[in-house]
Amino acid sequence: GGDRMSGLGAGLHKPTFDNLAKFEKNFYKEHPTIAALSVAEVEAFRKSNAKVDVLMSLPVVIVGGGLAGLYSAYLLHKAGVDYILVDARDRLGGRIFTANAEGQHCNHHDNEEDGFDLGPSWFWPQYQPSLSSLFTGLGLKTFAQHSEGDDLFEHRPSIPPHRSPSSDDAQQSFRITGGTSALVRALAKSLSLDRIHLSSKVDRITLHDGHIEVTIVVQQPSTDDGDHTTKTLLASHVIAALPPRLLNGSIAFMPAQEPATQKRWRDTPTWMAPHAKFIAVYEKPFWRDEGLSGYAQSRLGPMAEIHDATTTSQVAALFGFISIPAHQRATMGEEAVKHACQDQLVRMFGPNAGKPRAVLLKDWADDPLTSTPSDRT
């Protein structure tokens, strides 16, 4: 009897490992190319890779907060790439400027259906499908530019404007509800406020070995005496979202751009820079009651083209592109230009046009953050 398992293993011999090969825990096998490097070459390799690490940790600096700069920030933000957007103005939008009836820049507190564009106003879905898709994605509403009724054409003095049915050949243009600044607000809404630096003018861009140094001059808030501070931003890349002429005339580059590049920048006109827009706001769109579309052309001026600018909430307005050259407008003065535009509206649309409740004028040639002396000649 007894426990049959008590003697289990009694006949086994103690194992020995003396004859096994020695084991070394070393899986690294150096490539011959690496093994052939000198100490100096290894150090240079390490430094170059350290620069890459630093570069990847720096943000992309975007110069200019207009539509191009804002959309660049929007795409970088969506991609998870760090950025800093810098603009010399105290607002975003650049040449996109939507004003209320008092001429003040519209912000998110204003009626979303009101706003008068003193900069760009229209887009054409059939030619700009990408814009249409962007507007839809941002939840923006759009509406067709009013074109129903007769058009007016003024050819010679002392002869009443010629009236003719509106042409059906023109492709339909559209506007954004609330004005084009609604697009600016929608893009900015998705961005981080701490990545946006306003009232900050880029003074110099310096290319270093491994990074870019951007020197900005920051205007202090609530000061009119030019008080400012200078700051330096380090960047992995820089996106210059400014008109070429402004870029060439307002920012110093180290090292300097090639002469051919500088010439190309100087010779590129800035859109809207030499132009001015006039808007007259009315109690009602009386021209529609008279069977007019609000569209007019004139060879006499001061406005070459006039359009209906009524908002979706039916705040009535007419606006026109002023054909008087920039230097002549500067000589006349703002009030004289406004009076000349009002006189033209009366001449073309009748006495009701002489009773606006507000008039607005934006002369882009007088805006140093849009226009250069070359744009005004």
Side-chain angles (χ1 to χ4, degrees):
D3 186 357
R4 296 181 180 181
M5 302 297 291
S6 59
L8 187 64
L12 295 178
H13 298 285
K14 183 178 180 180
T16 176
F17 301 103
D18 295 339
N19 297 326
L20 293 179
K22 185 179 180 180
F23 174 75
E24 293 183 3
K25 191 177 180 181
N26 184 0
F27 300 104
Y28 174 71
K29 184 178 180 180
E30 192 169 58
H31 192 276
T33 303
I34 301 299
L37 293 176
S38 66
V39 174
E41 289 172 328
V42 170
E43 189 63 26
F45 177 81
R46 288 172 175 168
K47 286 183 177 179
S48 66
N49 279 272
K51 290 175 183 176
V52 171
D53 291 340
V54 171
L55 193 65
M56 294 300 291
S57 67
L58 295 176
V60 176
V61 171
I62 304 167
V63 183
L67 181 56
L70 264 177
Y71 189 59
S72 298
Y74 173 77
L75 293 178
L76 290 173
H77 181 78
K78 287 182 65 176
V81 178
D82 191 21
Y83 64 91
I84 295 176
L85 188 151
V86 181
D87 196 280
R89 289 182 168 92
D90 61 359
R91 61 173 180 85
L92 293 170
R95 284 163 287 174
I96 295 176
F97 187 89
T98 306
N100 57 27
E102 287 70 43
Q104 299 171 334
H105 180 242
C106 286
N107 55 44
H108 63 279
H109 298 298
D110 292 305
N111 187 334
E112 294 183 354
E113 295 185 345
D114 285 342
F116 304 102
D117 287 314
L118 291 166
S121 183
W122 300 308
F123 75 101
W124 288 262
Q126 62 271 38
Y127 299 129
Q128 299 167 306
S130 297
L131 270 182
S132 297
S133 298
L134 175 63
F135 298 162
T136 300
L138 293 173
L140 295 173
K141 298 177 181 179
T142 63
F143 65 102
Q145 168 67 29
H146 180 78
S147 59
E148 296 179 7
D150 292 344
D151 300 337
L152 295 176
F153 299 89
E154 185 180 54
H155 299 288
R156 279 181 268 178
S158 305
I159 298 179
H162 173 69
R163 179 169 176 163
S164 65
S166 179
S167 173
D168 294 330
D169 298 333
Q171 295 289 348
Q172 180 67 63
S173 59
F174 283 74
R175 292 157 56 191
I176 300 176
T177 299
T180 313
S181 286
L183 170 60
V184 173
R185 294 193 296 272
L187 288 172
K189 188 177 180 180
S190 67
L191 306 180
S192 301
L193 291 178
D194 64 341
R195 311 316 285 163
I196 299 174
H197 296 207
L198 299 179
S199 300
S200 301
K201 181 184 179 298
V202 174
D203 181 65
R204 181 183 297 270
I205 298 177
T206 306
L207 180 63
H208 291 282
D209 186 14
H211 70 277
I212 304 168
E213 186 178 283
V214 181
T215 305
I216 61 174
V217 178
V218 183
Q219 181 68 39
Q220 297 302 306
S222 303
T223 60
D224 298 323
D225 56 1
D227 188 22
H228 63 270
T229 58
T230 301
K231 294 184 179 181
T232 299
L233 303 175
L234 300 183
S236 61
H237 300 79
V238 171
I239 298 176
L242 290 179
R245 277 184 177 169
L246 283 178
L247 195 62
N248 182 74
S250 62
I251 300 176
F253 288 87
M254 297 295 291
Q257 296 293 325
E258 294 290 334
T261 299
Q262 295 183 43
K263 183 179 185 303
R264 185 164 61 250
W265 288 359
R266 287 195 304 269
D267 293 346
T268 303
T270 302
W271 179 82
M272 283 298 292
H275 300 295
K277 288 180 75 172
F278 173 83
I279 296 178
V281 184
Y282 296 96
E283 294 296 336
K284 65 175 185 176
F286 61 87
W287 55 94
R288 295 184 183 182
D289 297 336
E290 298 169 7
L292 296 172
S293 66
Y295 175 75
Q297 286 186 2
S298 174
R299 292 183 179 178
L300 307 181
M303 294 180 285
E305 278 188 27
I306 299 168
H307 299 266
D308 188 313
T310 303
T311 69
T312 51
S313 61
Q314 297 306 301
V315 178
L318 292 169
F319 91 85
F321 295 104
I322 300 174
S323 57
I324 302 173
H327 67 277
Q328 188 175 340
R329 295 197 302 269
T331 301
M332 292 175 62
E334 181 176 322
E335 290 305 313
V337 173
K338 286 181 178 179
H339 285 304
C341 290
Q342 291 181 71
D343 290 343
Q344 179 184 1
L345 291 178
V346 172
R347 190 175 71 233
M348 298 193 73
F349 289 90
N352 285 329
K355 305 171 185 176
R357 65 182 181 93
V359 295
L360 308 174
L361 174 67
K362 176 60 177 178
D363 194 331
W364 291 100
D366 195 38
D367 186 339
L369 298 178
T370 295
S371 180
T372 69
S374 297
D375 294 306
R376 296 189 284 271
T377 57

